Amino acid sequence: MRTIAFLIVVAQILFLAPLYLIYGQVDPCRALAKEIATRAEAAGGLGVAVEDAFGNLEINARRDIADHSTGACVGKLFSSWTERVTGT
C-alpha cells in the first residue's frame, strides 16, 4: 500500500513540477491560458497589439477556456507543447 501511495506522489510531482517551473502555477487550465497568451505575444500582429492595449491576453485566454475540463486543458497543453517542439 505504501508503494502505491509513493508512486502516486511521484507521478504527481513529475506532472506538476514542470507546470510550476514553467508557468508558476499547477492548475493546467491557468497554465494553458498562459501558454496561449505567450504564443499570441510571440506571433504578434495588429490584433494582438490592440487586445494587449485594452486588456490582458492571459485573462482573455482564461475566458476562452473557462468551459474546458481539467482533462481537456491537459490535452490542449500537451498538444501545444508538441506543436512547439515540431514547429507547427
Side-chain angles (χ1 to χ4, degrees):
M1 195 63 151
R2 287 183 185 175
T3 305
I4 294 172
F6 177 75
L7 291 176
I8 290 172
V9 169
V10 168
Q12 288 177 343
I13 289 172
L14 289 176
F15 177 71
L16 297 177
L19 286 178
Y20 185 74
L21 292 174
I22 295 170
Y23 302 108
Q25 53 212 359
V26 293
D27 180 22
C29 289
R30 286 186 178 234
L32 177 62
K34 195 164 193 168
E35 174 77 11
I36 291 169
T38 303
R39 289 187 75 163
E41 286 176 0
L46 181 61
V48 173
V50 169
E51 188 174 349
D52 196 27
F54 292 108
N56 189 339
L57 292 172
E58 185 177 344
I59 292 172
N60 292 338
R62 283 186 199 169
R63 281 190 210 122
D64 292 340
I65 62 170
D67 61 340
H68 288 53
S69 67
T70 302
C73 289
V74 169
K76 289 190 178 197
L77 190 60
F78 279 124
S79 68
S80 178
W81 287 349
T82 55
E83 286 174 2
R84 200 181 269 218
V85 169
T86 59
T88 57

XYZ file of all heavy atoms in Angstrom:
660
model
N 0.816 -1.195 0.000
C 0.000 0.000 0.000
C 0.865 1.267 0.000
O 0.532 2.236 -0.657
C -0.919 -0.048 1.222
C -2.023 0.940 1.129
S -3.043 0.540 -0.285
C -4.562 1.129 0.239
N 1.948 1.225 0.757
C 2.836 2.383 0.796
C 3.498 2.603 -0.555
O 3.721 3.737 -0.959
C 3.910 2.202 1.860
C 3.395 2.333 3.245
C 4.524 2.219 4.227
N 4.004 2.240 5.587
C 4.728 2.064 6.652
N 6.027 1.843 6.524
N 4.199 2.108 7.832
N 3.783 1.520 -1.242
C 4.417 1.632 -2.557
C 3.481 2.311 -3.548
O 3.913 3.163 -4.326
C 4.816 0.232 -3.078
O 5.627 -0.396 -2.102
C 5.552 0.328 -4.385
N 2.216 1.957 -3.510
C 1.237 2.577 -4.407
C 1.099 4.065 -4.089
O 1.085 4.897 -4.993
C -0.117 1.855 -4.310
C 0.025 0.434 -4.852
C -1.193 2.611 -5.068
C -1.199 -0.431 -4.626
N 1.016 4.401 -2.809
C 0.914 5.807 -2.411
C 2.160 6.577 -2.839
O 2.066 7.709 -3.319
C 0.705 5.915 -0.910
N 3.317 5.961 -2.669
C 4.568 6.599 -3.079
C 4.597 6.834 -4.583
O 4.997 7.902 -5.046
C 5.755 5.728 -2.648
C 7.077 6.270 -3.104
C 7.638 7.372 -2.482
C 7.754 5.685 -4.158
C 8.858 7.866 -2.895
C 8.969 6.182 -4.586
C 9.525 7.281 -3.947
N 4.151 5.851 -5.363
C 4.127 6.004 -6.817
C 3.158 7.096 -7.254
O 3.433 7.827 -8.205
C 3.778 4.674 -7.478
C 4.862 3.592 -7.373
C 4.356 2.288 -7.971
C 6.128 4.039 -8.058
N 2.039 7.225 -6.564
C 1.077 8.287 -6.882
C 1.699 9.655 -6.603
O 1.577 10.585 -7.413
C -0.229 8.092 -6.095
C -0.977 6.874 -6.640
C -1.111 9.331 -6.175
C -2.178 6.460 -5.820
N 2.384 9.782 -5.483
C 3.028 11.057 -5.141
C 4.124 11.390 -6.151
O 4.251 12.533 -6.600
C 3.577 11.016 -3.694
C 4.480 12.204 -3.416
C 2.435 10.968 -2.709
N 4.908 10.406 -6.538
C 5.972 10.630 -7.519
C 5.376 11.052 -8.863
O 5.883 11.969 -9.523
C 6.865 9.373 -7.666
C 7.773 9.475 -8.867
C 7.668 9.168 -6.402
N 4.294 10.409 -9.272
C 3.641 10.769 -10.533
C 3.116 12.205 -10.487
O 3.235 12.948 -11.465
C 2.507 9.795 -10.831
N 2.543 12.605 -9.357
C 2.055 13.978 -9.226
C 3.205 14.974 -9.284
O 3.092 16.022 -9.918
C 1.286 14.151 -7.920
C -0.056 13.467 -7.917
C -0.753 13.596 -6.575
O -0.144 13.911 -5.555
N -2.048 13.337 -6.575
N 4.295 14.654 -8.637
C 5.456 15.555 -8.659
C 6.007 15.673 -10.071
O 6.315 16.771 -10.544
C 6.535 15.085 -7.669
C 6.055 15.315 -6.247
C 7.852 15.801 -7.911
C 6.941 14.718 -5.183
N 6.107 14.545 -10.771
C 6.623 14.574 -12.139
C 5.720 15.367 -13.068
O 6.190 16.012 -14.010
C 6.803 13.154 -12.672
C 7.948 12.356 -12.055
C 7.945 10.932 -12.599
C 9.277 13.030 -12.313
N 4.413 15.340 -12.831
C 3.487 16.070 -13.683
C 3.379 17.542 -13.292
O 3.336 18.421 -14.146
C 2.099 15.424 -13.635
C 1.080 16.172 -14.438
C 1.128 16.175 -15.818
C 0.087 16.909 -13.818
C 0.215 16.883 -16.564
C -0.839 17.618 -14.553
C -0.774 17.602 -15.930
N 3.333 17.821 -11.995
C 3.088 19.189 -11.546
C 4.350 20.053 -11.476
O 4.264 21.272 -11.600
C 2.392 19.172 -10.185
C 1.015 18.516 -10.173
C 0.463 18.496 -8.754
C 0.050 19.219 -11.100
N 5.504 19.445 -11.286
C 6.741 20.235 -11.191
C 7.023 21.026 -12.467
O 7.337 22.219 -12.377
C 7.917 19.336 -10.825
N 6.905 20.426 -13.666
C 7.136 21.239 -14.865
C 6.133 22.385 -15.010
O 6.507 23.478 -15.430
C 6.990 20.251 -16.017
C 7.194 18.921 -15.424
C 6.731 19.024 -14.007
N 4.877 22.144 -14.649
C 3.888 23.230 -14.728
C 4.291 24.377 -13.815
O 4.211 25.548 -14.209
C 2.500 22.721 -14.338
C 1.774 21.852 -15.330
C 0.437 21.407 -14.761
C 1.562 22.568 -16.637
N 4.723 24.052 -12.615
C 5.107 25.102 -11.681
C 6.376 25.820 -12.140
O 6.472 27.044 -12.029
C 5.293 24.527 -10.278
C 5.562 25.591 -9.250
C 4.536 26.419 -8.814
C 6.830 25.795 -8.751
C 4.774 27.418 -7.892
C 7.082 26.791 -7.828
C 6.046 27.595 -7.406
O 6.286 28.594 -6.499
N 7.326 25.065 -12.638
C 8.580 25.685 -13.066
C 8.406 26.556 -14.308
O 9.013 27.613 -14.423
C 9.636 24.610 -13.332
C 10.129 23.862 -12.098
C 11.054 22.718 -12.509
C 10.829 24.799 -11.143
N 7.570 26.125 -15.245
C 7.402 26.859 -16.495
C 6.410 28.008 -16.341
O 6.655 29.127 -16.798
C 6.946 25.919 -17.615
C 8.027 24.889 -17.914
C 6.589 26.694 -18.877
C 7.581 23.772 -18.827
N 5.274 27.740 -15.690
C 4.185 28.723 -15.648
C 3.973 29.370 -14.284
O 3.186 30.306 -14.163
C 2.884 28.066 -16.098
C 2.975 27.474 -17.476
C 3.021 26.101 -17.670
C 3.036 28.288 -18.598
C 3.111 25.552 -18.930
C 3.137 27.746 -19.864
C 3.174 26.388 -20.023
O 3.274 25.849 -21.275
N 4.602 28.852 -13.242
C 4.440 29.432 -11.915
C 3.142 29.045 -11.237
O 2.750 29.669 -10.261
N 2.482 28.022 -11.728
C 1.221 27.541 -11.156
C 1.031 26.089 -11.546
O 1.633 25.619 -12.496
C 0.056 28.384 -11.628
C -0.029 28.530 -13.124
C -0.603 29.872 -13.508
O -0.948 30.657 -12.652
N -0.700 30.142 -14.767
N 0.169 25.397 -10.806
C -0.019 23.980 -11.085
C -1.382 23.669 -11.685
O -1.645 22.528 -12.028
C 0.195 23.120 -9.813
C 1.632 23.179 -9.371
C -0.736 23.532 -8.700
N -2.232 24.647 -11.841
C -3.536 24.430 -12.471
C -3.345 24.333 -13.984
O -2.860 25.280 -14.603
C -4.476 25.578 -12.124
C -5.849 25.426 -12.730
O -6.230 24.285 -13.066
O -6.563 26.439 -12.861
N -3.710 23.205 -14.589
C -3.485 23.048 -16.031
C -4.229 24.069 -16.882
O -3.725 24.503 -17.917
C -3.983 21.635 -16.332
C -3.992 20.933 -15.033
C -4.219 21.970 -13.995
N -5.412 24.490 -16.462
C -6.168 25.453 -17.263
C -5.519 26.842 -17.207
O -5.462 27.543 -18.218
C -7.615 25.504 -16.798
S -8.533 23.999 -17.223
N -5.020 27.229 -16.063
C -4.308 28.511 -15.978
C -2.999 28.454 -16.747
O -2.593 29.427 -17.376
C -4.064 28.898 -14.533
C -5.315 29.375 -13.850
C -5.001 29.871 -12.469
N -6.203 30.373 -11.852
C -6.314 31.583 -11.341
N -5.298 32.398 -11.356
N -7.437 31.973 -10.814
N -2.334 27.301 -16.688
C -1.097 27.134 -17.455
C -1.389 27.201 -18.947
O -0.620 27.790 -19.706
C -0.431 25.814 -17.089
N -2.501 26.606 -19.376
C -2.883 26.669 -20.788
C -3.178 28.103 -21.200
O -2.774 28.540 -22.283
C -4.099 25.777 -21.055
C -4.651 25.796 -22.473
C -3.619 25.295 -23.473
C -5.920 24.966 -22.548
N -3.851 28.859 -20.348
C -4.133 30.259 -20.661
C -2.842 31.056 -20.793
O -2.701 31.886 -21.700
C -5.023 30.870 -19.579
N -1.890 30.782 -19.919
C -0.611 31.474 -20.003
C 0.140 31.068 -21.269
O 0.778 31.895 -21.916
C 0.225 31.172 -18.766
C 1.372 32.088 -18.578
C 1.904 32.004 -17.176
C 2.839 33.165 -16.935
N 3.182 33.314 -15.547
N 0.049 29.789 -21.636
C 0.678 29.300 -22.867
C 0.056 29.966 -24.091
O 0.761 30.390 -25.007
C 0.526 27.776 -22.946
C 0.996 27.166 -24.221
C 2.508 27.058 -24.326
O 3.211 27.276 -23.330
O 2.990 26.769 -25.438
N -1.264 30.082 -24.114
C -1.955 30.724 -25.238
C -1.535 32.189 -25.343
O -1.262 32.699 -26.432
C -3.481 30.591 -25.086
C -3.900 29.130 -25.275
C -4.221 31.486 -26.066
C -5.345 28.850 -24.896
N -1.475 32.876 -24.201
C -1.086 34.288 -24.203
C 0.364 34.458 -24.661
O 0.672 35.361 -25.437
C -1.270 34.877 -22.810
N 1.238 33.583 -24.217
C 2.650 33.660 -24.606
C 2.818 33.421 -26.099
O 3.562 34.141 -26.773
C 3.471 32.628 -23.812
O 3.296 32.873 -22.424
C 4.943 32.713 -24.158
N 2.098 32.432 -26.623
C 2.202 32.141 -28.059
C 1.593 33.270 -28.885
O 2.073 33.578 -29.974
C 1.537 30.813 -28.371
C 2.361 29.650 -27.814
C 1.843 28.345 -28.228
N 2.207 28.128 -29.620
C 2.180 26.956 -30.209
N 1.809 25.900 -29.536
N 2.506 26.830 -31.470
N 0.535 33.910 -28.384
C -0.066 35.030 -29.105
C 0.887 36.221 -29.142
O 1.010 36.894 -30.167
C -1.390 35.430 -28.453
N 1.550 36.473 -28.015
C 2.521 37.570 -27.992
C 3.676 37.298 -28.938
O 4.171 38.205 -29.602
C 3.047 37.773 -26.576
C 2.066 38.436 -25.648
C 2.585 38.534 -24.223
O 3.722 38.078 -23.957
O 1.857 39.065 -23.379
N 4.113 36.051 -28.993
C 5.218 35.692 -29.879
C 4.825 35.824 -31.340
O 5.639 36.208 -32.179
C 5.693 34.271 -29.592
N 3.564 35.511 -31.655
C 3.091 35.617 -33.033
C 2.939 37.074 -33.447
O 3.142 37.426 -34.611
C 1.762 34.887 -33.194
N 2.594 37.925 -32.481
C 2.453 39.355 -32.765
C 1.263 39.654 -33.642
O 0.288 38.922 -33.698
N 1.322 40.756 -34.311
C 0.241 41.170 -35.187
C -0.541 42.323 -34.605
O -0.445 42.644 -33.427
N -1.335 42.948 -35.453
C -2.111 44.114 -35.039
C -3.197 43.741 -34.039
O -3.429 44.457 -33.067
C -2.737 44.784 -36.269
C -3.567 46.036 -36.003
C -2.695 47.119 -35.367
C -4.188 46.540 -37.277
N -3.855 42.617 -34.264
C -4.914 42.189 -33.344
C -4.398 41.946 -31.948
O -5.049 42.286 -30.964
N -3.228 41.378 -31.847
C -2.623 41.120 -30.538
C -2.240 42.432 -29.874
O -2.442 42.619 -28.680
C -1.397 40.188 -30.674
C -0.660 40.048 -29.359
C -1.824 38.831 -31.190
N -1.721 43.373 -30.641
C -1.332 44.666 -30.078
C -2.549 45.418 -29.548
O -2.499 46.002 -28.465
C -0.612 45.503 -31.125
N -3.643 45.375 -30.288
C -4.869 46.051 -29.853
C -5.436 45.368 -28.616
O -5.833 46.021 -27.650
C -5.912 46.082 -30.994
C -7.267 46.529 -30.494
C -5.423 46.979 -32.119
N -5.475 44.024 -28.634
C -6.013 43.286 -27.492
C -5.158 43.496 -26.250
O -5.675 43.634 -25.147
C -6.092 41.799 -27.830
C -6.809 40.984 -26.793
C -7.011 39.545 -27.212
O -6.783 39.212 -28.383
O -7.403 38.762 -26.352
N -3.840 43.540 -26.424
C -2.944 43.753 -25.297
C -3.078 45.171 -24.750
O -2.926 45.393 -23.548
C -1.501 43.474 -25.708
C -0.582 43.311 -24.518
O -1.069 42.918 -23.442
O 0.627 43.569 -24.672
N -3.379 46.138 -25.610
C -3.534 47.523 -25.160
C -4.805 47.710 -24.325
O -4.824 48.494 -23.385
C -3.555 48.464 -26.355
N -5.863 46.982 -24.666
C -7.145 47.163 -23.979
C -7.450 46.081 -22.951
O -8.477 46.126 -22.292
C -8.284 47.217 -24.998
C -8.243 48.453 -25.841
C -7.868 48.386 -27.171
C -8.529 49.689 -25.301
C -7.817 49.514 -27.950
C -8.480 50.832 -26.060
C -8.116 50.752 -27.400
N -6.599 45.112 -22.814
C -6.839 44.046 -21.841
C -5.625 43.159 -21.717
O -4.616 43.352 -22.386
N -5.738 42.192 -20.864
C -4.652 41.259 -20.629
C -4.892 40.005 -21.466
O -5.971 39.420 -21.415
C -4.592 40.916 -19.146
C -3.376 40.131 -18.771
O -2.750 39.494 -19.611
N -3.041 40.169 -17.496
N -3.914 39.589 -22.221
C -4.072 38.419 -23.084
C -4.348 37.154 -22.280
O -5.138 36.312 -22.692
C -2.813 38.219 -23.934
C -2.553 39.280 -25.000
C -1.183 39.059 -25.623
C -3.619 39.229 -26.062
N -3.714 37.015 -21.135
C -3.918 35.813 -20.324
C -5.335 35.757 -19.767
O -5.966 34.699 -19.749
C -2.901 35.765 -19.187
C -2.976 34.485 -18.387
C -1.923 34.409 -17.299
O -0.952 35.175 -17.325
O -2.088 33.554 -16.417
N -5.860 36.885 -19.326
C -7.227 36.910 -18.807
C -8.219 36.597 -19.916
O -9.189 35.852 -19.707
C -7.525 38.270 -18.140
C -6.690 38.413 -16.876
C -9.004 38.413 -17.830
C -6.749 39.772 -16.235
N -7.978 37.123 -21.098
C -8.859 36.811 -22.229
C -8.780 35.329 -22.594
O -9.790 34.712 -22.945
C -8.503 37.671 -23.428
C -8.823 39.129 -23.190
O -9.650 39.469 -22.346
N -8.145 39.997 -23.903
N -7.605 34.748 -22.502
C -7.460 33.314 -22.778
C -8.174 32.498 -21.713
O -8.779 31.463 -22.018
C -5.987 32.937 -22.843
N -8.145 32.950 -20.472
C -8.872 32.243 -19.406
C -10.368 32.247 -19.677
O -11.046 31.260 -19.424
C -8.611 32.902 -18.049
C -7.295 32.565 -17.465
C -7.199 33.129 -16.069
N -5.825 33.206 -15.638
C -5.442 33.849 -14.557
N -6.307 34.475 -13.794
N -4.173 33.867 -14.225
N -10.866 33.364 -20.173
C -12.295 33.420 -20.520
C -12.628 32.439 -21.637
O -13.691 31.818 -21.631
C -12.677 34.828 -20.958
C -12.877 35.761 -19.833
C -13.487 37.078 -20.313
N -13.025 38.118 -19.425
C -12.349 39.182 -19.793
N -12.071 39.400 -21.060
N -11.949 40.070 -18.906
N -11.724 32.320 -22.594
C -11.966 31.430 -23.729
C -11.984 29.960 -23.322
O -12.699 29.169 -23.933
C -10.905 31.643 -24.816
C -11.042 32.998 -25.477
O -12.127 33.611 -25.390
O -10.048 33.448 -26.088
N -11.199 29.597 -22.326
C -11.131 28.187 -21.941
C -11.855 27.903 -20.630
O -11.684 26.835 -20.047
C -9.661 27.713 -21.838
C -8.914 28.487 -20.772
C -8.968 27.779 -23.168
C -7.553 27.919 -20.447
N -12.685 28.803 -20.172
C -13.373 28.633 -18.889
C -14.279 27.410 -18.860
O -14.470 26.805 -17.804
C -14.189 29.882 -18.560
N -14.824 27.013 -19.992
C -15.742 25.874 -20.003
C -15.030 24.535 -20.213
O -15.668 23.499 -20.235
C -16.802 26.066 -21.081
C -16.205 26.170 -22.477
O -15.012 26.476 -22.586
O -16.954 25.955 -23.442
N -13.705 24.540 -20.325
C -12.940 23.309 -20.518
C -12.769 22.568 -19.191
O -12.609 23.183 -18.144
C -11.551 23.621 -21.082
C -11.553 24.053 -22.505
N -12.335 25.083 -22.977
C -10.860 23.605 -23.560
C -12.118 25.242 -24.257
N -11.218 24.353 -24.646
N -12.777 21.259 -19.265
C -12.475 20.459 -18.079
C -10.966 20.419 -17.874
O -10.190 20.818 -18.755
C -13.012 19.044 -18.241
O -12.296 18.374 -19.264
N -10.548 19.925 -16.729
C -9.120 19.821 -16.452
C -8.451 18.885 -17.446
O -7.349 19.163 -17.931
C -8.893 19.319 -15.011
O -9.525 20.238 -14.115
C -7.425 19.232 -14.676
N -9.118 17.790 -17.771
C -8.566 16.850 -18.744
C -8.403 17.471 -20.118
O -7.410 17.225 -20.806
N -9.381 18.278 -20.513
C -9.288 18.956 -21.805
C -8.138 19.961 -21.802
O -7.422 20.095 -22.803
C -10.603 19.654 -22.133
N -7.948 20.653 -20.694
C -6.840 21.612 -20.595
C -5.500 20.894 -20.664
O -4.578 21.365 -21.325
C -6.945 22.406 -19.298
S -8.297 23.593 -19.260
N -5.398 19.744 -19.996
C -4.156 18.969 -20.041
C -3.875 18.523 -21.471
O -2.755 18.630 -21.968
C -4.228 17.760 -19.082
C -3.070 16.804 -19.320
C -4.237 18.227 -17.647
N -4.907 18.025 -22.155
C -4.733 17.579 -23.535
C -4.299 18.707 -24.454
O -3.381 18.536 -25.275
N -4.923 19.862 -24.321
C -4.562 21.000 -25.165
C -3.175 21.544 -24.818
O -2.450 22.014 -25.695
C -5.612 22.094 -25.055
C -6.903 21.715 -25.739
C -7.851 22.870 -25.835
C -9.089 22.397 -26.591
N -9.869 23.501 -27.066
N -2.814 21.466 -23.546
C -1.487 21.918 -23.139
C -0.417 21.014 -23.739
O 0.584 21.497 -24.277
C -1.389 21.941 -21.615
C -0.182 22.607 -20.999
C -0.096 24.072 -21.410
C -0.247 22.509 -19.493
N -0.627 19.707 -23.689
C 0.337 18.787 -24.286
C 0.386 18.935 -25.799
O 1.455 18.860 -26.405
C 0.039 17.337 -23.900
C 0.554 16.965 -22.543
C -0.300 16.456 -21.586
C 1.881 17.137 -22.214
C 0.165 16.127 -20.335
C 2.365 16.798 -20.960
C 1.494 16.291 -20.008
N -0.756 19.165 -26.429
C -0.734 19.366 -27.880
C -0.027 20.671 -28.232
O 0.664 20.755 -29.249
C -2.146 19.336 -28.458
O -2.888 20.453 -28.035
N -0.151 21.687 -27.393
C 0.564 22.939 -27.617
C 2.067 22.724 -27.480
O 2.849 23.278 -28.260
C 0.091 24.003 -26.628
O 0.802 25.200 -26.800
N 2.463 21.906 -26.498
C 3.882 21.613 -26.331
C 4.415 20.849 -27.538
O 5.514 21.141 -28.013
C 4.125 20.801 -25.070
C 3.983 21.578 -23.796
C 3.867 22.926 -23.658
C 3.920 21.038 -22.480
N 3.731 23.268 -22.335
C 3.769 22.130 -21.593
C 3.970 19.757 -21.958
C 3.683 21.952 -20.211
C 3.885 19.594 -20.587
C 3.749 20.678 -19.725
N 3.655 19.888 -28.049
C 4.123 19.123 -29.200
C 4.173 20.003 -30.445
O 5.062 19.849 -31.281
C 3.256 17.888 -29.462
O 1.894 18.279 -29.611
C 3.382 16.869 -28.352
N 3.227 20.930 -30.584
C 3.273 21.874 -31.707
C 4.521 22.748 -31.606
O 5.145 23.066 -32.610
C 2.030 22.758 -31.711
C 0.769 22.062 -32.155
C -0.457 22.940 -32.013
O -0.326 24.126 -31.601
O -1.551 22.438 -32.282
N 4.863 23.131 -30.396
C 6.037 23.967 -30.203
C 7.310 23.196 -30.556
O 8.223 23.740 -31.187
C 6.098 24.420 -28.743
C 6.954 25.622 -28.517
C 6.965 25.970 -27.063
N 5.899 26.903 -26.762
C 6.052 27.895 -25.899
N 7.172 28.036 -25.247
N 5.060 28.723 -25.654
N 7.350 21.926 -30.195
C 8.532 21.102 -30.487
C 8.645 20.828 -31.990
O 9.732 20.902 -32.559
C 8.472 19.782 -29.685
C 9.527 18.801 -30.170
C 8.642 20.061 -28.205
N 7.508 20.517 -32.635
C 7.551 20.198 -34.057
C 7.607 21.444 -34.937
O 7.904 21.345 -36.117
C 6.333 19.353 -34.467
O 5.136 20.084 -34.179
C 6.339 18.016 -33.757
N 7.295 22.601 -34.371
C 7.382 23.837 -35.131
C 6.157 24.163 -35.950
O 6.229 24.954 -36.887
N 5.013 23.580 -35.626
C 3.790 23.879 -36.386
C 2.983 24.942 -35.732
O 3.125 25.324 -34.643
C 2.918 22.619 -36.532
O 2.600 22.103 -35.255
C 3.626 21.591 -37.361
